[in-house]
């Protein structure tokens, strides 16, 4: 499915939440993907997702059996760790984990356009896409060149949107990730994605190594009602 010309025309406006490619920090080779943890299941059954307090836990839908947890290093830090948990019965298992990045200025409980912070909260994950062909995604996947990062951005950012998973923050579910519609208004921000890492903070998205994006795309299943739980550790633990 290819998005409409109207959607393509507003691409530059939408992408401001994912990264502007201006003044990007120099990529650290280790941050760009060399530090991801081993992609092996954890053998210990967990009754609850570690370091997620009652407030956040209560927002996870009862029918969700896949949770992508983004543990921000600090309120004003761009560094984070992403862990995929899957539920069997009443227990959670750690399926995989990776080093990642979030907003350049950290996190915000009340995210708004251009604050360079990622929104804290629990959000559903319903749609995916990218410049590259579908790698075997279970979520609906839209391949489109219109998702590509502008070539006037720093070269380190050119492949940011090779794979993306839309975070359902101020967007219409069931549409391509780059659909520009923002139901709660432009100033609330939007176009918050999981996408490819360029080695430093983003404008609001969460970025991961390519292997992580491929793993998530091939694992997240609409039938399992996947969500992302994201924020700095203090906010998650509250």
């Amino acid at each position: 499915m290819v998005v409409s010309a109207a959607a393509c025309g507003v691409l530059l406006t939408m992408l401001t939440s994912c990264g502007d490619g201006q003044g990007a920090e120099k990529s650290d080779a280790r941050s760009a993907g060399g530090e991801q943890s081993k992609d092996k299941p954890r053998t210990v059954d967990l009754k609850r997702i570690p370091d997620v307090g009652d407030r956040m836990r209560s927002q996870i839908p009862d029918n969700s059996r896949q949770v992508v947890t983004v543990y921000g290093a600090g309120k004003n830090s761009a560094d984070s760790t992403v862990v995929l948990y899957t539920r069997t019965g009443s227990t959670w298992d750690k399926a995989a984990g990776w080093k990642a990045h979030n907003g350049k200025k950290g996190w915000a409980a009340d995210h708004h356009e251009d604050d360079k912070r990622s929104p804290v909260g629990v959000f559903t994950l319903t749609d995916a896409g990218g410049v590259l062909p579908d790698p075997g995604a279970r979520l609906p996947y839209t391949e489109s060149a219109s998702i590509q990062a502008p070539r006037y951005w720093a070269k380190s950012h050119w492949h940011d949107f090779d794979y993306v998973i839309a975070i359902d923050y101020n967007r219409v579910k069931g549409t391509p990730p780059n659909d520009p519609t923002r139901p709660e208004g432009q100033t609330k921000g939007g176009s918050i994605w999981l996408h490819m890492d360029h080695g430093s903070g983003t404008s609001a998205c969460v970025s991961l190594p390519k292997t992580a994006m491929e793993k998530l795309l091939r694992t997240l299943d609409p039938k399992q009602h996947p969500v992302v739980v994201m924020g700095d550790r203090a906010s998650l633990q509250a």
Side-chain angles (χ1 to χ4, degrees):
M1 171 180 176
V2 178
V3 295
S4 67
C8 298
V10 294
L11 179 62
L12 297 184
T13 300
M14 315 162 12
L15 294 184
T16 55
S17 288
C18 289
D20 56 15
Q22 304 299 314
E25 299 90 342
K26 292 184 179 179
S27 296
D28 181 316
R30 295 171 66 221
S31 298
E35 286 189 356
Q36 73 251 37
S37 60
K38 293 185 181 298
D39 187 13
K40 294 182 179 180
R42 181 172 178 168
T43 57
V44 178
D45 290 336
L46 304 168
K47 294 302 180 183
R48 57 188 296 168
I49 297 172
D51 298 318
V52 174
D54 291 341
R55 180 171 60 85
M56 286 287 192
R57 189 161 62 95
S58 68
Q59 297 176 46
I60 299 174
D62 291 339
N63 61 358
S64 179
R65 309 185 76 81
Q66 295 177 326
V67 173
V68 179
T69 306
V70 184
Y71 297 99
K75 182 178 180 180
N76 300 313
S77 173
D79 296 324
S80 54
T81 300
V82 172
V83 180
L84 171 63
Y85 294 99
T86 59
R87 186 172 69 176
T88 303
S90 61
T91 62
W92 293 93
D93 295 316
K94 178 180 177 180
W98 309 272
K99 294 296 183 182
H101 291 96
N102 50 264
K104 296 175 184 178
K105 294 186 178 181
W107 297 90
D110 184 21
H111 167 74
H112 59 272
E113 185 77 358
D114 294 329
D115 65 5
K116 308 302 181 186
R117 293 178 179 270
S118 296
V120 175
V122 179
F123 309 102
T124 53
L125 301 170
T126 56
D127 303 282
V131 178
L132 297 180
D134 185 348
R138 297 189 177 190
L139 296 174
Y141 187 93
T142 300
E143 178 189 347
S144 175
S146 68
I147 298 176
Q148 182 172 276
R151 284 305 187 255
Y152 61 79
W153 285 11
K155 190 173 182 178
S156 59
H157 292 58
W158 285 3
H159 295 285
D160 280 11
F161 311 136
D162 281 357
Y163 292 131
V164 304
I165 298 172
I167 294 172
D168 292 334
Y169 173 91
N170 196 18
R171 70 178 300 270
V172 178
K173 299 179 185 180
T175 62
N178 60 342
D179 185 301
T181 308
R182 294 184 178 180
E184 298 178 66
Q186 188 72 20
T187 59
K188 187 176 175 63
S191 301
I192 312 293
W193 299 343
L194 302 174
H195 67 66
M196 303 266 282
D197 190 51
H198 54 250
S200 61
T202 70
S203 285
C205 296
V206 174
S207 60
L208 302 98
K210 182 178 182 180
T211 54
M213 288 300 299
E214 290 174 335
K215 170 74 173 181
L216 291 175
L217 286 166
R218 293 167 181 162
T219 303
L220 297 180
D221 185 348
K223 295 179 181 178
Q224 304 301 318
H225 307 283
V227 299
V228 60
V229 178
M230 53 195 283
D232 57 282
R233 285 188 177 272
S235 294
L236 292 181
Q237 293 171 352

